[in-house]
Amino acid sequence: MAKTQMFRSDINWLRFLAVSGQILARLNEERFSFKDFYLRRVRRLAPALFFLVLFTNVLVICLAYEEYTASVVESSFYVLASISNIFFWLSTGYFDPIVDLSPYIHTWSLGVEEQFYLVFPVVLFLIWRFFSLKPAL
């Protein structure tokens, strides 16, 4: 195969099914905790994300010119708030040439993922509570 496949939709669907299956299984056993679910995610993702942002900002501050440094530091706040996808969508196009210079452009997918995990468990929980759907596992 001459060209490497960069995006694998099958893996994203597997992730989606794994998370929804985990949530539904715990809802069925009535032991699901939103607090535990979100704390596990924060403990797993936050250390690496904070290190990435800290290391990148230090490098940019030390090595880049002032105007570029300001834009990188500004975008890092959006990265840490898990809304970098919205920031990059509103401030530039994904395929604009300037995007090649952004060290945080890859975090748009993490923003989408975090927003999904904030909404999806709540929607599943509300469906389960209001419609008394007990998944057959």
Side-chain angles (χ1 to χ4, degrees), residues 24-121:
L24 289 174
R26 290 189 180 185
L27 283 175
N28 193 38
E29 297 171 4
E30 297 195 20
R31 64 182 180 101
F32 178 77
S33 165
F34 282 109
K35 178 181 146 192
D36 292 341
F37 177 77
Y38 292 120
L39 281 176
R40 277 193 314 271
R41 287 198 58 76
V42 168
R43 284 188 200 123
R44 189 174 75 244
L45 297 174
L49 184 63
F50 286 133
F51 177 77
L52 168 85
V53 169
L54 178 67
F55 185 75
T56 303
N57 283 354
V58 168
L59 279 178
V60 168
I61 289 168
C62 292
L63 302 175
Y65 58 92
E66 188 177 329
E67 192 175 292
Y68 179 71
T69 301
S71 70
V72 169
V73 171
E74 177 189 11
S75 63
S76 68
F77 292 113
Y78 294 99
V79 169
L80 292 174
S82 295
I83 56 172
S84 62
N85 59 321
I86 296 169
F87 172 73
F88 290 121
W89 172 55
L90 294 175
S91 64
T92 185
Y94 187 72
F95 296 105
D96 288 350
I98 192 72
V99 169
D100 292 338
L101 299 174
S102 175
Y104 296 126
I105 191 65
H106 65 283
T107 62
W108 71 267
S109 61
L110 187 60
V112 170
E113 183 178 344
E114 290 307 310
Q115 292 157 23
F116 172 79
Y117 284 128
L118 284 173
V119 173
F120 186 69

Side-chain angles (χ1 to χ4, degrees), residues 7-23:
F7 175 75
R8 293 193 50 194
S9 61
D10 57 330
I11 292 176
N12 286 331
W13 279 107
L14 289 173
R15 241 187 255 152
F16 170 79
L17 293 174
V19 169
S20 58
Q22 176 189 22
I23 292 170

